[in-house]
Amino acid sequence: MTEKLSTECDFSYLDENYAVIKENIAQAAVASGRRPEDVTFMAVTKTVAPPPINHVISLGVDLIGENKVQELLSKLEFLNTDRLRMHIIGHLQSNKVRKIVGIVSGVESVDSISLAEEISKRCVQSDCKMDVLLEVNIGNEEAKTGFTYDGALERAFEIAEMPNINLRGFMAVPPICEGDTVRRYFAKMNGLYLDAKEKLSGKAIIDTLSLGMSADYADAIKEGSTLVRVGSSLFGARRY
């Protein structure tokens, strides 16, 4: 990273943003009949420099999500990773898998059988295991990757059998919409998640439904999300 690493920056805005987000998560969890600790918070760090990332880690953030492998690798040496888990949440090319095995604890964007097979192969070679979520194209959008809603459960059975892969559940990004419309997408994903949780019992521990970002994480939690991915509400607007 070329940006100077400074400990003198005023990161008080991060303290405030994080406190608001945690309170919103707690309220939404209670509204859904769960405890605040039943929902995992992920800080999405795309385009964010290491100093503010390290600051939110000091506040208690222990999971970050990066979209691009190269960006994550460029930050690694500057991050306080002692108690930090890292996930890939963007589209992952099969030829990049070898670079993140043994570094990240999870890939949330498994969108094809071939990608899952590559993760499995590389994890076997490295004698490690990888948590994965299957990305579902819940809105059937041409511009997005992911399994179809109707085919996701069948693919989950296939991937659950692959060595050195821990299938944990599903991830989705619904089409841009608001209110009741986006909540219907979230509810539909929760139905898939609960169905898989029951039918894959004994084959995989299905415990993660990754739904909700800065604009809609409270609604996602109310519809069953167990993991929310929040970037701009925490760090501010992205600077490309």
Side-chain angles (χ1 to χ4, degrees):
M1 304 293 293
T2 58
E3 183 168 333
K4 182 179 179 181
L5 304 183
S6 172
T7 58
E8 300 176 358
C9 296
D10 179 9
F11 290 135
S12 59
Y13 72 98
L14 293 174
D15 300 49
E16 297 166 6
N17 291 347
Y18 185 58
V20 169
I21 293 166
K22 292 294 284 186
E23 178 60 25
N24 290 341
I25 289 173
Q27 291 180 3
V30 171
S32 71
R34 292 177 291 162
R35 303 170 300 168
E37 57 266 34
D38 293 332
V39 179
T40 299
F41 173 80
M42 169 191 284
V44 177
T45 52
K46 178 181 179 181
T47 77
V48 181
I53 298 174
N54 283 331
H55 186 79
V56 298
I57 292 171
S58 75
L59 298 178
V61 170
D62 61 3
L63 175 63
I64 67 170
E66 278 283 352
N67 288 63
K68 296 182 179 180
V69 169
Q70 196 57 44
E71 183 176 349
L72 173 62
L73 296 179
S74 73
K75 296 175 182 178
L76 267 184
E77 65 178 296
F78 303 107
L79 296 179
N80 297 330
T81 59
D82 290 347
R83 294 180 298 277
L84 185 66
R85 295 177 295 140
M86 296 172 283
H87 285 186
I88 293 294
I89 61 174
H91 178 63
L92 177 61
Q93 296 174 314
S94 293
N95 62 3
K96 299 288 181 65
V97 170
R98 60 183 175 80
K99 296 183 178 182
I100 51 95
V101 167
I103 295 176
V104 305
S105 60
V107 175
E108 297 198 9
S109 48
V110 173
D111 57 8
S112 68
I113 292 296
S114 60
L115 176 58
E117 289 173 336
E118 181 66 16
I119 293 171
S120 174
K121 182 181 78 172
R122 294 292 181 177
C123 286
V124 168
Q125 291 173 350
S126 299
D127 191 25
C128 66
K129 292 189 176 182
M130 181 79 77
D131 290 343
V132 303
L133 303 182
L134 303 194
E135 182 177 0
V136 178
N137 186 351
I138 187 64
N140 292 320
E141 297 175 89
E142 291 185 5
K144 290 182 181 176
T145 59
F147 296 104
T148 64
Y149 176 84
D150 292 335
L153 186 58
E154 185 177 349
R155 301 289 83 78
F157 273 95
E158 291 181 53
I159 291 171
E161 297 290 343
M162 295 181 185
N164 293 53
I165 277 186
N166 295 324
L167 175 62
R168 301 290 295 272
F170 303 92
M171 181 271 273
V173 179
I176 296 173
C177 51
E178 298 178 354
D180 290 342
T181 302
V182 73
R183 289 189 65 160
R184 283 197 292 270
Y185 283 114
F186 291 147
K188 190 173 181 180
M189 281 301 306
N190 191 42
L192 173 63
Y193 166 70
L194 295 175
D195 195 24
K197 196 178 186 74
E198 176 185 353
K199 292 180 178 177
L200 282 162
S201 177
K203 295 180 179 293
I205 298 175
I206 304 298
D207 60 5
T208 304
L209 179 60
S210 178
L211 295 174
M213 300 185 291
S214 287
D216 53 22
Y217 64 88
D219 283 337
I221 293 168
K222 291 173 185 176
E223 296 298 341
S225 174
T226 71
L227 187 157
V228 293
R229 311 179 304 271
V230 181
S232 58
S233 288
L234 178 62
F235 295 109
R238 289 192 181 118
R239 283 180 273 178
Y240 291 94

